[in-house]
Amino acid sequence: HYIKARIGHPMIPPASGMIESEMGIERLKSWLNWIGITPALGGVSGYILGWAIWQPHGLSFGWLLALSILCAQNRSRSFHFIAFLGYYFAALNLPLASLRDYDPAPLAAFATRLDQLLLAMILAFPYAIFAGGKETQSWRAGIGSIVALVSTAVPPLGGVGVASPLLGATAWFPDFGVEGLLAYLLFFGFCVTILHGLFSSRVMLFLLGLSIMAMSVQASGTPSGQRTDAGGLYCQSTQHCPMQQIMIISYPFGKTVRTWAGFQARANLITRLGETALKENPHARLLVYPEEVAGPLDHAFALLYAHFTTALHKHLATAAIGAIVPWKIQTGVHKQRSRTLWSDGIVLIGQHHRVLIARQPAPVAEWDPLAQVLHDDRSSMPAFWSLPVDHKAGTSHPPLDHAAYGKTHLAALICYEQALVWPLLWTLVRHHPTIILAPESVHWEKSPAIGDLEGRLARAWGRLYDLPVAIAVNLPPARLHATRHPAHGDLHQT
């Protein structure tokens, strides 16, 4: 007011130093205001948050609460979009970057980065639509955040919904199951509503975000120094842990077999390892093998595993073997033609016979929606909610998303599904499984990062639903001797 009075008074000439100071202050305020409203700041914040949570040694689910800070920002839709674009782009870096080990070609690396950007854009879009807007009321921001979380966790977006903030429920509400997911949704929306209404200053919001990050809760269920990339049987409650009844066969089986000689050699290896496991533990009732180790499931499967099936019958045991399940799909105007698609699956042989399938293959690497439109037989088949009626499996046993051996009910989380919210949730809503089978294959990896991440995610779901998790891994050759038994005996493997 003094400066304005001096400048506006007709008898008192304005001081040049005061004018320059005023102009400098205005420029500084304008620059700081631009920094505050530009979406670039949100993008940088989201990227740092996504990297901190999903780096190989991160995954501290308490940090996920800080995402409510981004949702609570009273900024434009572009701010919210770029903020969550940064979060998802950083979070997707680990799972998609691992594909470069799978296919190191320069063109494949470029395609992977492009897919990473497109997936991040798709997953960030609901946050801009439902939680963004400068004039959004606090309660609408909270409800919009809940809608965005749900829309990115269930199909169709949930089919690629890796790094969902809903994974935070596994830390905040262990043993609560489905109710824990609902409680976390309400908790997230409540935080966004309160923050949006109480703090109009972006400085206070970011300070609060930093404090939440500093008080993060390490709750993925993996103690420091304990490897999960080698697999094992993990139990949240030792009272109900079927340790002596389940054997995990984690072994470097190598690539998926394609030739008849490869089928025979692989069947012999699977049989030999299984018979050794049964000899070491006659009380075993379930042997769990890694993903895709048996190759495609065809009519010769029963012949190749006849000897192993007999040995399993003698021990009253069942083997859950990873395989590729073929599907015949009727096409054409009158469905006169057919073509074959594939599903990642688990074949149960021995005392019980079932075929479990993966509901969601990994995008880009396995599942390509355009390939199905263009009639490319190499694409895997997703089954979002149920199998279409015009699908016929290449086996006499109808595929399921749930099976049982004796009184033990099984739920499958195969590879990529371990990073998603809905596949296990859908099975739990319809059935009541008592154990989770989580087969993986990382034989092509140069580092244990993705295998360790998948293992921790599978254990986190077991923590939330209070179920034992059987993780069998097709290991790289270098990690054959890297497996070890923890002191408390929650890992029992061959």
Side-chain angles (χ1 to χ4, degrees):
H1 290 289
Y2 173 76
I3 294 175
K4 289 182 178 179
R6 293 272 298 182
I7 294 175
H9 200 285
M11 300 300 295
I12 304 177
S16 59
M18 292 181 179
I19 296 178
E20 291 177 359
S21 299
E22 180 189 23
M23 294 176 62
I25 292 173
E26 291 298 327
R27 282 197 298 267
L28 180 60
K29 289 172 61 178
S30 176
W31 185 76
L32 290 175
N33 189 52
W34 179 85
I35 287 294
I37 65 174
T38 181
L41 183 59
V44 172
S45 302
Y47 185 89
I48 293 174
L49 184 59
W51 176 85
I53 296 171
W54 297 99
Q55 62 169 316
H57 301 290
L59 202 62
S60 181
F61 286 118
W63 288 52
L64 289 170
L65 186 60
L67 287 173
S68 61
I69 304 299
L70 296 181
C71 284
Q73 292 286 339
N74 189 15
R75 294 288 172 255
S76 64
R77 285 187 168 87
S78 61
F79 178 94
H80 286 78
F81 175 77
I82 294 180
F84 280 91
L85 174 66
Y87 165 77
Y88 279 110
F89 189 82
L92 291 168
N93 184 66
L94 178 59
L96 290 184
S98 65
L99 293 178
R100 290 196 291 269
D101 292 347
Y102 187 81
D103 187 357
L107 184 60
F110 173 77
T112 300
R113 284 297 184 187
L114 181 61
D115 289 327
Q116 180 179 351
L117 178 60
L118 291 176
L119 289 178
M121 293 174 65
I122 291 172
L123 294 173
F125 189 72
Y127 294 92
I129 295 299
F130 299 113
K134 288 185 177 181
E135 304 301 327
T136 304
Q137 294 176 319
S138 297
W139 65 271
R140 289 188 176 182
I143 294 178
S145 300
I146 294 176
V147 174
L149 273 183
V150 173
S151 64
T152 54
V154 300
L157 294 184
V160 294
V162 181
S164 171
L166 270 177
L167 286 163
T170 63
W172 290 92
F173 301 100
D175 303 338
F176 275 73
V178 178
E179 292 81 2
L181 286 175
L182 296 176
Y184 189 77
L185 273 174
L186 296 176
F187 180 56
F188 190 88
F190 175 78
C191 290
V192 172
T193 301
I194 296 300
L195 293 173
H196 189 279
L198 291 181
F199 299 105
S200 59
S201 170
R202 53 188 169 274
V203 177
M204 290 297 294
L205 285 175
F206 278 103
L207 287 178
L208 184 58
L210 291 175
S211 66
I212 292 175
M213 294 178 189
M215 296 184 295
S216 60
V217 180
Q218 181 70 38
S220 66
T222 303
S224 177
Q226 180 177 317
R227 299 176 65 91
T228 61
D229 58 320
L233 177 63
Y234 301 95
C235 302
Q236 179 68 17
S237 174
T238 56
Q239 183 178 0
H240 305 288
C241 187
M243 287 181 53
Q244 301 301 321
Q245 298 182 8
I246 298 178
M247 296 289 287
I248 308 300
I249 314 295
S250 287
Y251 188 85
F253 288 92
K255 297 180 180 180
T256 303
V257 292
R258 301 291 183 183
T259 64
W260 176 249
F263 290 143
Q264 290 180 310
R266 184 60 57 82
N268 291 335
L269 177 59
I270 289 173
T271 300
R272 187 173 73 251
L273 292 174
E275 290 179 337
T276 301
L278 291 173
K279 184 178 180 180
E280 293 180 354
N281 183 12
H283 301 287
R285 294 295 177 263
L286 179 65
L287 310 182
V288 184
Y289 287 82
E291 174 192 11
E292 295 186 359
V293 292
L297 178 62
D298 56 17
H299 298 292
F301 189 91
L303 177 63
L304 289 171
Y305 291 92
H307 176 72
F308 190 26
T309 302
T310 302
L312 290 166
H313 274 295
K314 290 181 179 179
H315 287 79
L316 303 178
T318 302
I321 306 174
I324 305 175
V325 181
W327 292 89
K328 294 292 184 182
I329 299 181
Q330 304 300 320
T331 60
V333 179
H334 301 289
K335 297 185 178 180
Q336 297 175 345
R337 298 189 302 270
S338 65
R339 62 192 183 99
T340 302
L341 294 178
W342 303 90
S343 287
D344 215 342
I346 301 173
V347 181
L348 301 183
I349 64 172
Q351 191 72 6
H352 301 276
H353 297 271
R354 291 289 188 276
V355 177
L356 286 79
I357 64 164
R359 290 188 169 274
Q360 182 56 61
V364 183
E366 296 176 331
W367 175 51
D368 182 2
L370 294 179
Q372 296 188 29
V373 175
L374 300 175
H375 302 287
D376 186 352
D377 291 347
R378 295 172 296 176
S379 178
S380 295
M381 184 197 70
F384 282 147
W385 299 120
S386 61
L387 297 176
V389 294
D390 60 345
H391 287 61
K392 295 181 179 180
T395 174
S396 58
H397 303 287
L400 307 165
D401 65 338
H402 162 269
Y405 74 99
K407 296 182 179 180
T408 302
H409 295 260
L410 309 174
L413 278 182
I414 303 176
C415 188
Y416 177 74
E417 293 180 326
Q418 297 161 18
L420 303 179
V421 175
W422 73 272
L424 182 57
L425 175 62
W426 179 249
T427 302
L428 286 167
V429 169
R430 301 169 63 236
H431 308 286
H432 299 283
T434 53
I435 187 172
I436 300 171
L437 300 186
E440 303 172 10
S441 180
V442 292
H443 68 273
W444 39 269
E445 263 210 335
K446 297 178 181 178
S447 70
I450 189 65
D452 184 69
L453 175 63
E454 288 180 346
R456 284 184 287 155
L457 288 172
R459 289 194 66 187
W461 291 124
R463 174 188 175 89
L464 176 66
Y465 296 112
D466 193 21
L467 295 175
V469 182
I471 305 175
V473 187
N474 184 3
L475 298 166
R479 257 183 281 164
L480 173 61
H481 303 291
T483 61
R484 64 186 182 90
H485 299 257
H488 298 290
D490 63 343
L491 173 60
H492 189 58
Q493 67 179 36
T494 298

